[in-house]
Structures are given as structure tokens and as C-alpha cells.
Amino acid sequence: MRLLNCQIENFGKLQNLELDFQDGLNVFLRENGFGKSTLAAFIRVMFYGLSGERKAQDSDNERKKYRPWQGGSFGGSLSFALENGKCYRITRHFGERKGQDQFVLYDAETNLPSKDYSERIGEELFRIDETSFRRTCFIGQQALETGTGEARRYSPTLADRQLYAAQRLPDGTVLRLSVVQLALWSLVL
């Protein structure tokens, strides 16, 4: 899979942002507070939707955490290409509750709605649920291990998580997840 483009209408502090992804590794070097982690979360949410719906804490409830700071439409779109050359655009808009969320998948060539995948597209494409995706392919900034010595012994490193993925997923899936991992990993550097 290759990410092609994302358009963020409003998501957390990000608004009216359009990015085109290049072949290979995309590195985003921006100042602290720009929204690099929010951008990475947006990409994950496009595939899996918002999580933590029943959590009271804003930091655990993504609907509360990423509700646009400035108001306006909550969501955007993400375009990607599969290995077979087929291109799609996911569009998600989020309401006050999950029942108000909207998901549409478009064939990027014809710009017509596609029924090839459902709103559970992340699970269908990657063959793992969101929890597994977070533990193996999507390593958020807060989950990175930077210490040495005793702390490292008890906290999984990026290499440990890659090994975990390789041990538990079919061979074909690991290759696809590694590509997504690099794309998402580049967003938080």
C-alpha cells in the first residue's frame, strides 16, 4: 500500500491541510506543537475510525481529543493505492456520537462510491483490529522507548514490536504492514 494524499478539513488543531505523499519515506520536520502526532492519528483514524468512545477522559476519548479546536466540519479524506494498482479515497466525517459518523469509500479513478470495503476498512485491508495495529504497526510518540538499562528491559522497543508482528501475522500481511508502518512512522519523526 502507498499513501497518496490526505485532506484534513478539521482534526484536532489541524485545519485546511492538504498533503501529497511521495514515493519512499516521507519525513515531516516541523516545530513542536505543529500537529505531527495529530497528523499520524488522522491517518490511523481514516482506516479505523475514532476509538475510546466510552472513555470519560478527553485524552482517552478520541472524539473529544480530536474534535476541532476551531469548530467546523470534523474529518477529511485519505487517498491510497494498493499493490494491484487500484486507488481509493476514504472520506470520514465525525459527529457528536458514533451514530452520526459518515464513511464513504470512493474509487479514486472514477470518483464513484465503492463497495469494495466497508467502514471497517482497516481490519479488512490489514487483517488485524485496531488494537493489534497500534501494538505492531502504529507506534505513537508516547509509546516510543528512549531510555537505556533497566527501563528498556520492561518496555518494548520498535524492533520488539516489529518482531511481534512478524510472529503473529501471515507473511503477506507483514509486508503490507511494514510499508504502512514506515509511512506512519515518518509522520512522527
Side-chain angles (χ1 to χ4, degrees):
M1 170 186 292
R2 178 166 132 37
L3 301 179
L4 301 173
N5 172 280
C6 78
Q7 296 178 324
I8 302 174
E9 292 173 30
N10 287 289
F11 191 83
K13 71 177 295 178
L14 300 175
Q15 65 177 345
N16 300 322
L17 179 66
E18 182 171 352
L19 293 171
D20 292 318
F21 300 102
Q22 306 304 311
D23 285 336
L25 185 65
N26 289 262
V27 177
F28 294 87
L29 297 173
R30 304 291 172 112
E31 67 277 0
N32 285 343
F34 170 80
K36 297 178 297 291
S37 295
T38 302
L39 176 59
F42 173 82
I43 292 171
R44 178 185 44 76
V45 165
M46 286 294 106
F47 287 109
Y48 285 98
L50 294 168
S51 65
E53 195 70 29
R54 299 188 189 274
K55 306 285 184 178
Q57 296 272 355
D58 286 0
S59 61
D60 296 329
N61 182 323
E62 290 185 333
R63 189 171 306 277
K64 291 179 182 178
K65 182 177 182 178
Y66 295 117
R67 180 175 289 128
W69 294 8
Q70 62 284 342
S73 178
F74 181 10
S77 65
L78 177 69
S79 299
F80 63 94
L82 297 177
E83 292 86 6
N84 64 9
K86 185 85 172 167
C87 298
Y88 295 97
R89 185 176 75 251
I90 300 168
T91 301
R92 287 191 193 258
H93 288 92
F94 306 101
E96 291 293 319
R97 295 179 305 284
K98 186 174 182 162
Q100 297 173 329
D101 292 353
Q102 299 172 355
F103 168 87
V104 181
L105 178 69
Y106 293 94
D107 179 313
E109 303 284 325
T110 65
N111 207 29
L112 295 172
S114 172
K115 299 288 185 191
D116 291 351
Y117 300 97
S118 74
E119 69 179 58
R120 297 173 60 110
I121 189 168
E123 291 179 19
E124 295 163 358
L125 283 174
F126 307 132
R127 299 185 206 146
I128 58 174
D129 64 14
E130 182 188 8
T131 301
S132 298
F133 185 78
R134 284 178 182 252
R135 290 181 179 163
T136 58
C137 305
F138 179 86
I139 313 298
Q141 178 182 8
Q142 301 302 320
L144 293 176
E145 173 60 48
T146 57
T148 59
E150 287 296 311
R152 291 189 71 110
R153 191 177 310 175
Y154 301 106
S155 179
T157 63
L158 178 60
D160 295 332
R161 289 177 187 213
Q162 288 173 322
L163 180 61
Y164 174 85
Q167 292 172 340
R168 288 173 173 71
L169 300 173
D171 290 342
T173 304
V174 170
L175 178 59
R176 275 182 271 168
L177 292 173
S178 295
V179 171
V180 171
Q181 180 177 3
L182 287 175
L184 294 176
W185 175 253
S186 69
L187 293 171
V188 296
L189 292 179

